[in-house]
């Protein structure tokens, strides 16, 4: 059947129109893919060529022959440019336009000038063959490993086109066929080739789309992997909830915070928190349902910021605390998809805050002690002077009365009251650490034995006292007298805690290793530095115990639970002051109705030879509240002055009551006394008669010049004069200053008043002799 050229042209025109529109749509939809634009242009140029051929015989030959042939060649050229664009190769636009113009000019010249139809067809065939060969070369370079099947098919078809065009160019002249004979066949092959190429180019576009999709999928997977790694390595927990409270996603830190395993997958993600967990408010109370971050977001649809909550279980595990935020994640229609819950573990911060609160309480306690110590310095001087005057004059008055005089009983009560006031001053001084420590290596067992013997004398028969010793305990460096006061105070408090009921008091000495977790940090640090263990003293009772509010205040100065008149509230503050002065620590545990336990910790010493101490509890009563029923003994009256009592004493004090008292006391003993209230007058008296005095006894704390300053001035006049300084409180600094200027002795003022004559006799005798 003969091939109708017009039909072929109409079919080609339809195919070009469809492929042009298809590639134009692909170009607009996928502008990143190279090729569809050139292929659409190739179809448009081919449409112009096919339309020109369809007008053969109706328009001039230049429009119906030269232009169509040139357009068909340019169409093949544009298709090749589309392939190069797809492969990412260069596309020299100026060269393409130049070739297009050359093809058009050549066809016109062959038509209008030389009129060589066969040459025109040969140019068209050779142009198609050369471009097909160039396409074959480009594909081989772009896909040398033949990994893209679509490109290999295009390469095979290009090779087939080269062979067909070369065969056509050779066979037609040899066979002597006319243009009218070969043109329909050539157009049929060109139509079929174009159809195949458009299908293959469409397959290339599909391949590139799959390639881009795979690359996008890989990029998405990479981003998801990076995002997952970022989320997993965040120092914050992340939980993504669905609206039904089930978990859509959770990171490792959140799993660890909830106590779940890290290797659990999405299948075991159960609703959270589990039933055994309880969410707590910042104050430690259970969090209500409407207060929980998830429910607040679910109810309001608004984010929740900076909520602190605790997570506790029923297994006794410590509460974990977190600072959390929550916000809703909505879909495109505004519906709630997820609630994103993020939090930071602040458990360590809460612990640090509690530690800071404890330190603040300790600081407050230290400030109270420091304030009271400052107060003690001022009170001790004036109050001791007053008490000394009361005690001294009461004693002198008793000596002036007959043994059976009624006034002696009143003087006795005056002395007892003054003595209790003096003991209160001593407690304040002990509490404020105004008195120097005489720390020597001692065994706490010995002090405990001595203290228990003293306590047993005051114990009712229905109270049982037990002492557990430790033969292997090392010694500690301590002031035996003050440690004894501590134990006596604690024992006295235990007696009061029993409230007259039957019970027991236990005193135990134990050795505590330096790495024992029960050892307080401050003591453990000293023990580790010195390479020693610690020794603990435990005093426990079966008394009434204390509630938490009372236990928090037991070391506050002047705080007491005893009835008015039965306690000063300084017993336990004195204990705390002494223990801390020894580098120790106290731990107190107590419950109402279950008694109290005081554990005192002291760092041990390397020394293994105790220094003997005489009379730890000898003369002075304990620096605490005396047991009920204790009665202070009456001061015995002064004995008759010895016949050898002689000498000239110069006494200096800014308190005229003491000056009056001392003069009377010493004159009764036979001493000559010169008493002054002004420092300058006393110094002038020594300057006027340097050798006329056997002893200078001066108060330390006076306005203007202190007693040490007076001693310096006087010793500059007479270096051999015996000088003593009296003070209501004595510390190492005062003793050092006094020794530097040549003072013979520093006398505790209250003791010096009651045994004043004995002190003066001891100091005067060496110089008088």
């Amino acid at each position: 059947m003969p091939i109708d050229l017009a039909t072929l042209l109409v079919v080609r025109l339809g195919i070009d129109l469809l492929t042009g529109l298809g590639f134009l749509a692909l170009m607009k939809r996928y502008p990143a893919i190279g090729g569809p634009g050139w292929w659409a242009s190739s179809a448009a140029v081919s449409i112009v060529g096919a339309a020109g051929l369809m007008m053969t015989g109706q328009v001039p030959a230049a429009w119906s022959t030269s232009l169509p042939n040139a357009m068909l060649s340019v169409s093949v050229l544009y298709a090749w440019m589309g392939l190069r664009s797809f492969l990412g190769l260069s596309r020299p636009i100026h060269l393409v336009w130049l070739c297009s113009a050359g093809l058009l000019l050549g066809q016109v010249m062959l038509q209008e000038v030389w009129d060589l139809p066969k040459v025109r067809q040969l140019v068209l065939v050779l142009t198609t063959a050369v471009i097909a060969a160039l396409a074959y070369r480009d594909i081989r370079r772009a896909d040398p490993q033949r990994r893209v099947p679509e490109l290999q098919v295009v390469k095979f078809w290009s090779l087939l086109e080269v062979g067909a065009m070369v065969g056509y160019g050779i066979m037609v002249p040899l066979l002597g066929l006319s243009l009218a004979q070969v043109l329909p066949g050539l157009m049929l092959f060109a139509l079929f080739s174009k159809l195949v190429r458009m299908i293959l180019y469409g397959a290339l576009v599909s391949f590139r789309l799959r390639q881009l999709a795979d690359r996008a999928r890989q990029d998405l997977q990479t981003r998801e992997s990076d995002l997952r790694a970022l989320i997993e390595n965040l120092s914050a927990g992340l939980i993504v909830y669905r609206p039904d409270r089930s978990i859509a996603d959770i990171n490792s830190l959140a799993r660890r915070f909830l106590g779940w395993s890290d290797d659990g997958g999405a299948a075991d993600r159960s609703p959270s928190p589990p039933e055994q967990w309880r969410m707590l408010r910042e104050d430690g109370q259970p969090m209500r349902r409407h207060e929980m971050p998830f429910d607040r977001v679910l109810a309001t649809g608004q984010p929740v910021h900076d909520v602190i909550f605790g997570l506790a279980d029923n297994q006794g595990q410590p509460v974990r605390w977190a600072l959390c935020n929550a916000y809703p994640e909505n879909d495109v229609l505004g519906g709630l998809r997820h609630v994103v819950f993020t939090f930071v573990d602040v458990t360590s911060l809460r612990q640090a805050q509690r530690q800071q609160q404890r330190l603040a309480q300790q600081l407050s306690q230290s400030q109270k002690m420091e304030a009271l110590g400052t107060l003690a310095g001022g009170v001790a001087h004036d109050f001791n002077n007053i008490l000394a005057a009361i005690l001294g004059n009461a004693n002198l008055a008793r000596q002036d009365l007959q043994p059976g005089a009624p006034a002696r009983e009143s003087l006795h009560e005056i002395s007892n009251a003054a003595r209790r006031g003096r003991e209160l001053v001593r407690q304040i001084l002990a509490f404020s650490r105004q008195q120097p420590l005489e720390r020597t290596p001692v065994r706490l067992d010995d002090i405990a034995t001595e203290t228990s013997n003293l306590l047993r004398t005051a114990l009712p028969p229905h109270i049982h006292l037990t002492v557990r010793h430790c033969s292997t305990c090392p010694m500690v460096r301590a002031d035996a007298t003050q440690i004894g006061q501590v134990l006596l105070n604690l024992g006295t408090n235990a007696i009061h805690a029993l409230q007259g009921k039957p019970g027991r008091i236990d005193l135990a000495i134990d050795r505590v290793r330096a790495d024992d977790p029960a050892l307080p940090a401050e003591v453990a640090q000293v023990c580790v530095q010195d390479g020693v263990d610690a020794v603990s003293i435990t005093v426990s009772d079966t008394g009434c115990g204390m509630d938490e509010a009372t236990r928090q205040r037991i070391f506050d100065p002047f705080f007491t639970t005893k009835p008015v008149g039965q306690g000063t509230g300084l017993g336990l503050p004195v204990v705390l002051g002494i223990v801390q002065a020894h580098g120790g620590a106290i731990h107190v545990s107590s419950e109402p109705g279950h008694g109290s336990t005081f554990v005192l910790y002291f760092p041990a010493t390397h020394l293994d030879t105790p220094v003997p101490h005489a009379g730890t509890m000898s003369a002075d009563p304990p620096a605490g509240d005396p047991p009920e029923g204790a009665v202070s003994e009456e001061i015995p009256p002064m004995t008759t002055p010895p016949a050898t009592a002689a000498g000239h004493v110069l006494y200096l004090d800014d308190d005229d009551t003491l000056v009056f008292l001392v003069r009377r006391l010493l004159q009764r003993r036979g001493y000559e006394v010169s008493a002054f209230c002004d420092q300058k007058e006393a110094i002038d008296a020594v300057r006027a008669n340097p050798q006329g005095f056997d002893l200078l006894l001066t108060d330390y704390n006076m306005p203007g010049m202190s007693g040490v300053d007076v001693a310096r001035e006087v010793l500059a006049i007479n270096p051999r004069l015996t000088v003593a300084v009296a003070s209501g409180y004595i510390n190492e600094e005062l003793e050092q200053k006094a020794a530097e200027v040549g003072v013979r002795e520093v006398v505790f003022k209250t003791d010096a008043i009651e045994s004043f004559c004995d002190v003066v006799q001891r100091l005067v005798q060496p110089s008088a002799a």
Side-chain angles (χ1 to χ4, degrees), residues 384-640:
N384 278 336
N385 288 349
I386 296 171
L387 295 175
I390 294 173
L391 288 169
N393 283 290
N395 197 18
L396 289 175
R398 280 200 301 271
Q399 295 181 38
D400 294 336
L401 293 175
Q402 296 299 324
R408 291 183 65 88
E409 184 177 355
S410 299
L411 292 173
H412 172 70
E413 292 301 323
I414 291 173
S415 297
N416 283 341
R419 193 176 298 108
R420 285 195 296 270
R422 183 190 66 179
E423 191 56 43
L424 177 60
V425 173
R426 288 187 177 182
Q427 291 181 25
I428 296 175
L429 293 175
F431 163 73
S432 60
R433 309 178 201 173
Q434 293 279 356
Q435 297 175 343
L437 297 176
E438 296 181 3
R439 297 178 64 178
T440 57
V442 296
R443 294 193 184 278
L444 295 183
D445 271 352
D446 299 338
I447 302 176
T449 299
E450 187 174 351
T451 304
S452 62
N453 292 334
L454 288 174
L455 282 174
R456 284 192 175 96
T457 61
L459 283 178
H462 56 269
I463 297 178
H464 184 57
L465 173 65
T466 62
V467 180
R468 179 165 56 83
H469 297 283
C470 176
S471 58
T472 61
C473 285
M475 292 187 297
V476 300
R477 288 186 60 85
D479 186 315
T481 301
Q482 295 204 12
I483 296 298
Q485 290 177 354
V486 165
L487 297 183
L488 198 56
N489 280 3
L490 293 177
T492 301
N493 285 346
I495 295 173
H496 284 290
L498 289 169
Q499 299 176 342
K501 300 177 182 178
R504 58 183 295 137
I505 301 173
D506 297 320
L507 194 154
I509 311 296
D510 293 292
R511 182 172 190 158
V512 183
R513 297 185 60 85
D515 56 355
D516 193 318
L519 191 62
E522 58 269 29
V523 180
Q525 183 177 2
V526 175
C527 293
V528 171
Q529 289 176 353
D530 297 343
V532 296
D533 290 336
V535 181
S536 67
I537 306 175
T538 303
V539 180
S540 59
D541 61 71
T542 58
C544 60
M546 298 175 287
D547 56 21
E548 181 63 20
T550 303
R551 193 182 68 81
Q552 292 291 336
R553 297 193 60 193
I554 57 176
F555 295 114
D556 288 353
F558 304 111
F559 172 77
T560 180
T561 58
K562 299 174 184 176
V564 176
Q566 295 188 16
T568 62
L570 283 174
L572 288 177
V574 165
V575 169
L576 178 63
I578 293 175
V579 171
Q580 291 183 344
H582 284 77
I586 301 178
H587 179 266
V588 183
S589 59
S590 181
E591 293 183 11
H594 293 82
S596 302
T597 300
F598 289 77
V599 185
L600 284 59
Y601 297 94
F602 298 95
T605 179
H606 289 291
L607 301 178
D608 55 2
T609 304
V611 176
H613 61 282
T616 303
M617 298 286 115
S618 57
D620 295 328
D625 301 328
E628 293 182 11
V631 179
S632 301
E633 72 281 2
E634 181 183 357
I635 298 179
M638 283 189 176
T639 57
T640 304

Side-chain angles (χ1 to χ4, degrees), residues 669-713:
R669 284 291 184 111
Y671 293 102
E672 181 182 357
V673 181
S674 297
F676 297 93
C677 293
D678 183 83
Q679 298 96 317
K680 188 176 183 303
E681 293 178 359
I683 296 172
D684 290 341
V686 176
R687 184 177 290 110
N689 187 9
Q691 305 300 325
F693 300 96
D694 298 296
L695 171 66
L696 167 62
L697 183 58
T698 175
D699 185 25
Y700 170 69
N701 191 6
M702 296 180 293
M705 297 178 65
S706 69
V708 174
D709 297 331
V710 172
R712 184 182 294 108
E713 295 289 338

Side-chain angles (χ1 to χ4, degrees), residues 201-221:
Y201 290 159
L204 290 179
V205 173
S206 299
F207 164 74
R208 181 54 53 85
L209 289 176
R210 292 196 307 272
Q211 193 177 43
L212 292 176
D214 292 341
R215 190 176 303 164
R217 191 179 301 110
Q218 292 176 359
D219 291 343
L220 180 60
Q221 292 174 351

Side-chain angles (χ1 to χ4, degrees), residues 349-418:
L349 179 60
R350 294 273 297 190
Q351 294 173 349
Q353 289 176 340
R354 288 194 293 268
Q355 178 66 18
Q356 185 179 10
Q357 292 174 353
R358 288 193 293 267
L359 293 175
Q361 293 175 354
Q362 295 177 5
L363 177 61
S364 176
Q365 182 70 27
S366 299
Q367 290 172 341
K368 292 177 183 177
M369 295 178 66
E370 182 180 358
L372 188 57
T374 304
L375 175 65
V379 170
H381 175 260
D382 294 334
F383 199 30
N384 278 336
N385 288 349
I386 296 171
L387 295 175
I390 294 173
L391 288 169
N393 283 290
N395 197 18
L396 289 175
R398 280 200 301 271
Q399 295 181 38
D400 294 336
L401 293 175
Q402 296 299 324
R408 291 183 65 88
E409 184 177 355
S410 299
L411 292 173
H412 172 70
E413 292 301 323
I414 291 173
S415 297
N416 283 341

Side-chain angles (χ1 to χ4, degrees), residues 237 293 297 303-307 309 323-327 340-344:
V297 173
V304 175
H305 300 290
D306 301 333
V307 176
F309 73 93
L323 175 66
C324 73
N325 296 279
Y327 64 90
V340 181
F341 184 84
T342 62
F343 63 90
V344 178

